[in-house]
Amino acid sequence: MDPSLNSSPVEAEPAVADPPRRPRRRPARADLLAIGAYAVLGVVVCLNYWGDVQHRVSSHLPTDHSWFEWLFAHGAYSVRHLENPLFTARQNAPDGVNMMANTSLLGVTLPLAPLTLLLGPQVMYALYLGAALSATAATSYWVLSRHLVRSRGAAFVGGAFLGFAPGIVHHANGQPNFVSNFLLPLIVARVLRLGEPGRWRRNGVVLGLLVAYQIFINEEMLLLTALACLVVVAAWAVQRPRAARERAGTFLAAVGVGGGVALLLAAYPIWFQFNGPQSYRGLQGGVFHNWGEDLMAFVTFARDTVAGDEAVERTIGLTEQNTWFGWPLVLVGLVALILLVPRSLPARIVAVLVVVFSVAAIGPKVRFDGVETGVDGPWAYVPDDLPLVEMMMPTRLSLVVAAAVGVLLALAWDALSGRGRPPVPAQRTGSAPTGSRRRWLRPVGYAAILAALLPLVPRPLPAQQIDPPPHFITAGGWRPYVPDGRTLVPVPIPSNVHGLPTLRWSALTRQEFPIPGGYFIGPNEAGEGVFGAPNRPTSTLIYSTMDANRVPPLTDENRRQALDDLRFWKASVVVLGGNPRETVLRELMTQLLGEPRRVDDVWLWDVRDRV
């Protein structure tokens, strides 16, 4: 019996064999093959980016893709210039951006800064995206094989699903923070060992270190993991009340140590997040609060799987595809639960996770096949302004369901392999021999699991071509025009809707010049979080001109406002590069600022003497 399991909250029932503790040794060949397979799958998912990595971004979330390229450049800039990485003035000048209050991925971009400086943010983005998917699968495999199942095949199947589940691959379209889950299996495993007698200090310290690091990768996924662990521990305690009472003191002491270590390391960054410059309280209008999971999404194939169809997401895929398991996997999962729950404590806990988080993911109103019904969901009774909850998106709770399904697949495969308890009734008098049942059950079970998983194999993520920055930008032609303390104002000004190419100007030049606007979350006048910088008159005029594809009648007031805005932005030069709306934007800026100069491949307005 594995001592770590026997002293952890999730211990198997006596009828279920526990995996033996393996001595420390080099990884077995099966381990290396598993990690290699995950790495290959990570390359396949990012294959379309590698076709032209310098000039391709996500087709589904191009602005998010560019934002994370910019984040890699921010990490490199912070290390290179020894600046505080929690804040930056290289975007949204002169106010800047609170990086702790955004998905800044500092736990990744800072240690990888030397590689970003060497390879560039585009290469680092694609390289890291595939590596994060593979690493999550690998750590999941390690935890499953060492702490839950005996069969390496079972651990491989479970790890593959945990790393490449449809909901995770969906977020790989421009949101690498949601695929950077490689620490979460280690956190869960450590939580489930906190009750070990005599090891509460060590377990607490290790947990605190892992939690502190995860804060700098993705706080939302850490919160989801904490909620899942809370449900797991509660479900175990209900079923093992005596053991729970015996281990409660040790468990709570370890939690206290872990919390103290995490707080010690992350107290200032968390304070900065909520109280530092450009911090905010909640999102304006609770924009995420209504995003619940459609019930049909559970049995629908995700867009980016081999069985997926983009047409379906136009009906029910209005939010995020966090479940989208397909009906075969749902059917196999239900059968596995029916067979395993009576015999396996881990399976019963998985069942609790599936039920609790499936219901919680529904949101304030039940939606079915793209139609919002009049039936209230659980979030209808949750206040919009509840701390932490106000920032959560209900549909993302279903990512816990995906993790539970991955564990369930590992348990089912392990039972079929004969190393876990077989999911068949005990032999009765007059019935067929158990051995004969096992002979047909094993291939049928394996075939059912594979048939449910094969349609979910991810396809290469769709990518689109994007024009490179102007040569004037990449070759440093801007340098004589932008002294220290002044900004380069690109046209259009970057925002969450417009200016994707101009945001990349900053990312691909190592952020050597600050820009106004940008793609981030910052405070409005009321202190609520909003996407992007509050529009000034000139930026609003630029955006409306682009949308209408014509220059509106301008007044002297428009020209005065333009100079005021440039003065606020501390502008030294206004630059218009190649753009589908280049003609109309040039006409607009000419009427506002006068005739431009053609410098290299851009139109340039030098405003240093005017603002």
Side-chain angles (χ1 to χ4, degrees):
M1 303 290 281
D2 185 349
S4 70
L5 279 178
N6 290 338
S7 57
S8 67
V10 181
E11 67 176 355
E13 293 181 320
V16 180
D18 293 331
R21 179 182 291 276
R22 296 182 177 91
R24 292 184 179 180
R25 54 187 173 81
R26 293 181 178 179
R29 179 179 297 178
D31 297 338
L32 298 177
L33 289 175
I35 294 171
Y38 297 149
V40 170
L41 194 54
V43 172
V44 169
V45 170
C46 301
L47 199 58
N48 286 334
Y49 296 143
W50 290 111
D52 187 2
V53 70
Q54 303 290 341
H55 306 117
R56 288 187 182 177
V57 296
S58 168
S59 297
H60 295 302
L61 292 173
T63 309
D64 281 29
H65 185 131
S66 295
W67 160 251
F68 280 97
E69 286 183 343
W70 192 90
L71 288 179
F72 277 103
H74 164 72
Y77 182 90
S78 299
V79 170
R80 184 184 181 196
H81 295 274
L82 300 179
E83 290 197 356
N84 178 14
L86 307 183
F87 184 83
T88 181
R90 312 311 286 180
Q91 189 175 161
N92 192 36
D95 293 331
V97 178
N98 187 320
M99 301 304 290
M100 278 302 297
N102 284 268
T103 55
S104 54
L105 212 63
L106 292 172
V108 171
T109 62
L110 293 176
L112 292 181
L115 280 178
T116 302
L117 290 170
L118 178 65
L119 303 175
Q122 312 103 304
V123 174
M124 275 309 305
Y125 176 93
L127 188 64
Y128 174 75
L129 185 64
L133 289 163
S134 304
T136 300
T139 56
S140 300
Y141 168 87
W142 186 88
V143 168
L144 289 171
S145 64
R146 268 60 178 178
H147 297 289
L148 191 61
V149 298
R150 291 186 177 217
S151 165
R152 297 293 178 91
F156 176 79
V157 170
F161 191 83
L162 286 162
F164 296 91
I168 301 300
V169 173
H170 168 80
H171 283 287
N173 288 284
Q175 296 177 328
N177 55 319
F178 280 104
V179 308
S180 303
N181 302 322
F182 40 83
L183 292 184
L184 300 184
L186 305 178
I187 290 174
V188 172
R190 189 57 55 175
V191 167
L192 301 185
R193 298 181 63 180
L194 292 182
E196 288 180 328
R199 296 183 176 180
W200 59 275
R201 291 186 184 87
R202 185 188 69 177
N203 287 334
V205 169
V206 173
L207 177 63
L209 293 173
L210 290 171
V211 168
Y213 193 17
Q214 180 63 31
I215 287 172
F216 297 99
I217 296 177
N218 190 330
E219 293 177 75
E220 186 172 352
M221 290 300 292
L222 178 61
L223 176 59
L224 294 181
T225 303
L227 293 174
C229 287
L230 181 62
V231 172
V232 168
V233 171
W236 173 82
V238 167
Q239 298 176 79
R240 291 289 187 272
R242 181 178 177 181
R245 287 192 299 269
E246 293 173 350
R247 300 175 188 177
T250 304
F251 184 86
L252 293 175
V255 169
V257 170
V261 170
L263 185 62
L264 180 66
L265 296 175
Y268 176 72
I270 291 175
W271 176 90
F272 194 93
Q273 175 178 346
F274 293 102
N275 298 281
Q278 292 300 103
S279 58
Y280 53 86
R281 291 289 189 276
L283 289 178
Q284 185 181 39
V287 295
F288 292 150
H289 197 71
N290 293 324
W291 287 18
E293 192 76 335
D294 192 304
L295 295 182
M296 281 295 293
F298 288 89
V299 296
T300 304
F301 292 113
R303 175 191 61 210
D304 295 319
T305 60
V306 294
D309 184 357
E310 289 192 11
V312 178
E313 71 173 353
R314 289 194 287 269
T315 59
I316 66 173
L318 302 178
T319 56
E320 298 177 352
Q321 297 173 24
N322 292 310
T323 53
W324 295 63
F325 299 133
W327 64 264
L329 181 58
V330 172
L331 182 60
V332 167
L334 290 174
V335 172
L337 284 175
I338 291 171
L339 295 175
L340 290 175
V341 160
R343 298 164 176 80
S344 168
L345 176 59
R348 288 198 291 275
I349 293 175
V350 165
V352 173
L353 282 174
V354 169
V355 172
V356 170
F357 284 92
S358 293
V359 172
I362 291 173
K365 290 291 182 182
V366 176
R367 290 196 305 120
F368 184 81
D369 202 19
V371 177
E372 186 176 282
T373 69
V375 180
D376 284 343
W379 284 71
Y381 307 99
V382 178
D384 290 352
D385 57 352
L386 195 66
L388 292 180
V389 174
E390 64 184 351
M391 297 289 292
M392 292 182 65
M393 189 184 298
T395 178
R396 289 181 182 167
L397 291 169
S398 58
L399 291 174
V400 177
V401 181
V405 170
V407 174
L408 177 62
L409 290 170
L411 291 172
W413 192 283
D414 199 47
L416 290 167
S417 71
R419 299 181 180 181
R421 182 179 176 88
V424 294
Q427 183 177 352
R428 295 192 181 116
T429 303
S431 62
T434 300
S436 63
R437 289 185 181 183
R438 293 294 299 271
R439 281 195 295 272
W440 67 261
L441 180 62
R442 181 177 296 175
V444 170
Y446 287 159
I449 293 174
L450 292 176
L453 291 179
L454 287 177
L456 303 181
V457 172
R459 294 181 295 182
L461 298 175
Q464 68 183 41
Q465 204 76 11
I466 188 169
D467 293 332
H471 183 263
F472 172 82
I473 296 294
T474 57
W478 54 272
R479 293 183 185 278
Y481 300 94
V482 188
D484 290 342
R486 304 295 287 270
T487 66
L488 182 150
V489 178
V491 179
I493 295 161
S495 73
N496 61 313
V497 177
H498 300 89
L500 163 63
T502 52
L503 178 63
R504 298 184 86 235
W505 293 6
S506 173
L508 304 188
T509 54
R510 298 185 177 183
Q511 300 184 0
E512 294 191 15
F513 53 81
I515 57 173
Y519 183 61
F520 61 96
I521 301 178
N524 61 11
E525 296 80 2
E528 299 173 310
V530 294
F531 289 92
N535 284 339
R536 298 188 66 84
T538 303
S539 55
T540 299
L541 185 59
I542 290 173
Y543 302 147
S544 61
T545 299
M546 292 180 67
D547 293 338
N549 198 24
R550 64 181 180 83
V551 178
L554 301 180
T555 65
D556 289 340
E557 178 64 13
N558 295 130
R559 298 179 180 88
R560 185 193 65 78
Q561 288 176 335
L563 292 177
D564 285 346
D565 291 341
L566 292 172
R567 193 172 296 112
F568 172 80
W569 290 324
K570 298 182 179 180
S572 62
V573 64
V574 178
V575 179
L576 170 63
N579 188 287
R581 295 286 191 266
E582 179 179 344
T583 300
V584 70
L585 287 174
R586 177 190 171 193
E587 181 182 350
L588 170 67
M589 300 310 298
T590 297
Q591 291 191 37
L592 289 175
L593 302 176
E595 288 294 331
R597 294 169 50 197
R598 186 67 176 177
V599 180
D600 200 346
D601 55 349
V602 302
W603 296 104
L604 183 144
W605 291 264
D606 189 341
V607 296
R608 285 174 291 179
D609 297 332
R610 302 171 62 186
V611 300

